[in-house]
Amino acid sequence: MLNTDAPEHTRLRRLVTATFTPRRVDALRPRIEALTAGLLGRITRGTEVDLVDAFAFPLPVLVIGEVLGVPPADRSALREWTYRVGSPADSLPPGALDEAWSSLYTYFSSLIEDKRRTPGSDLFSSLVHTELSHHELLAMAFLLLFAGYETTMNLLASAVLLLLSHPAELEQPYWPHVVEEALRHASPLEATTWRCTVEDVRLDGTHIPAGASVLGVLAAASRDPSRYPEPDAFRPQRWAGSASPPSLAFGHGPHYCIGARLARLEALTALPMLFEALPGLRLASDPARLSYRPGLLVRGPRTLPVHTGPAVPTTT
């Protein structure tokens, strides 16, 4: 769906949009709460942990497991394959990346056939029983997995980093504004997918010929001083007074991200739970020394070492 235009794109999007309704996405909140609580329950107070590895990465993968209807017994394998595919190739043993791609392909092929025979209540089961071909369903499964975890992982990690770097914002956080400002300030998706002009275009005095490759940089638009005063400052209060909280809005347009509502829902649910469960959470390294995930389109901390606050006293 990322690489098609109308009418093919219209057909694919119509089928997916009919499944990813706001009501069905919002119904995932209790599962997101339960999955978040489970991850936070494994973090020991009074220790140093990598919050990407312990929280920001596994939560979106587990949530997408719910969307895809992956049985609980298979989710550890799905997480491992996804971790390998999302890791720099030079950090993996020889052959590990190819093995992960092959395992995902085989697994999703089997999952589709299982859902044809025995559909569940998950969103992907609904897609399996549409006019989508097996090839299109495979592509959709990969799109849901990687678009669903990578961007949300970066949003969660960047939001935590921004809040711990601006502790005053944690005194009375209004989470819809925090999430929206994190999306603007630390855009987890820095650019659109590549586009190709079908005719000559003139944009702000620049001539772009037909057939040219174009990359729209969303992160630059989010730091546009003509739109956002003090664009480099992290100021959640800039969203105060909005006609409707941006994080609760449902976007429009043929290329608006279908998963945007789910990503915002995950952040709005998980971030308050994190800071409530771990009072005294603080960074364990200089933010300027953090490494970021490589890539042209997505951006987020590769690791986020934190101290989890004072240890909880044991009772006897």
Side-chain angles (χ1 to χ4, degrees):
M1 193 162 60
L2 291 180
N3 299 312
T4 58
D5 290 315
E8 188 66 4
H9 178 272
T10 306
R11 179 183 70 86
L12 294 171
R13 188 177 178 90
R14 173 178 53 79
L15 294 169
V16 179
T17 303
T19 299
F20 277 75
T21 63
R23 180 181 61 81
R24 293 193 71 177
V25 170
D26 291 346
L28 289 168
R29 184 187 291 272
R31 287 300 300 149
I32 296 172
E33 291 174 346
L35 294 170
T36 301
L39 291 172
L40 294 175
R42 299 188 186 102
I43 297 177
T44 304
R45 296 283 300 278
T47 62
E48 181 178 316
V49 299
D50 175 8
L51 214 58
V52 171
D53 184 61
F55 173 73
F57 167 70
L59 178 60
V61 173
L62 290 171
V63 172
I64 289 300
E66 296 282 329
V67 171
L68 292 170
V70 174
D74 298 340
R75 290 183 187 177
S76 60
L78 180 68
R79 177 179 172 178
E80 174 61 24
W81 296 327
T82 306
Y83 178 80
R84 288 191 209 171
V85 170
S87 299
D90 59 4
S91 69
L92 298 172
L97 183 59
D98 289 342
E99 180 186 357
W101 277 117
S102 178
S103 296
L104 283 169
Y105 182 90
T106 301
Y107 181 78
F108 283 145
S109 293
S110 175
L111 185 68
I112 289 167
E113 294 308 315
D114 287 344
K115 292 188 180 301
R116 288 196 194 280
R117 293 189 296 268
T118 312
S121 60
D122 55 275
L123 297 174
F124 193 56
S125 284
S126 299
L127 282 177
V128 169
H129 290 270
T130 64
E131 64 189 57
L132 291 173
S133 68
H134 184 82
H135 175 77
E136 289 169 335
L137 285 167
L138 274 175
M140 199 67 69
F142 277 98
L143 176 61
L144 289 171
L145 175 63
F146 291 105
Y149 98 83
E150 180 88 27
T151 51
T152 307
M153 173 183 69
N154 292 338
L155 168 59
L156 292 172
S158 295
V160 172
L161 175 58
L162 285 166
L163 287 166
L164 294 181
S165 302
H166 300 79
E169 300 296 346
L170 279 169
E171 293 177 5
Q172 289 185 311
Y174 181 59
W175 292 105
H177 293 169
V178 169
V179 169
E180 210 62 30
E181 180 68 349
L183 285 168
R184 183 202 67 83
H185 187 279
S187 179
L189 190 68
E190 291 204 308
T192 65
T193 52
W194 287 98
R195 309 298 171 90
C196 182
T197 53
V198 296
E199 60 184 31
D200 285 7
V201 177
R202 193 157 195 84
L203 182 64
D204 197 25
T206 299
H207 174 249
I208 305 173
S213 295
V214 179
L215 190 68
V217 183
L218 305 174
S222 293
R223 296 293 186 95
D224 182 353
S226 68
R227 176 73 182 272
Y228 303 104
E230 298 181 83
D232 295 331
F234 176 67
R235 294 176 52 240
Q237 61 271 24
R238 77 172 70 242
W239 298 97
S242 300
S244 61
S247 296
L248 303 180
F250 197 70
H252 301 282
H255 293 283
Y256 185 84
C257 176
I258 291 171
R261 189 179 185 92
L262 178 58
R264 285 180 164 99
L265 179 62
E266 289 181 57
L268 287 167
T269 303
L271 290 172
M273 292 180 66
L274 171 72
F275 285 98
E276 182 178 350
L278 299 174
L281 189 70
R282 65 188 189 278
L283 293 172
S285 67
D286 181 355
R289 299 174 66 91
L290 291 176
S291 62
Y292 280 73
R293 298 175 67 78
L296 182 62
L297 301 181
V298 295
R299 185 175 190 271
R302 181 181 289 182
T303 61
L304 186 58
V306 297
H307 291 294
T308 59
V312 178
T314 57
T315 57
T316 58

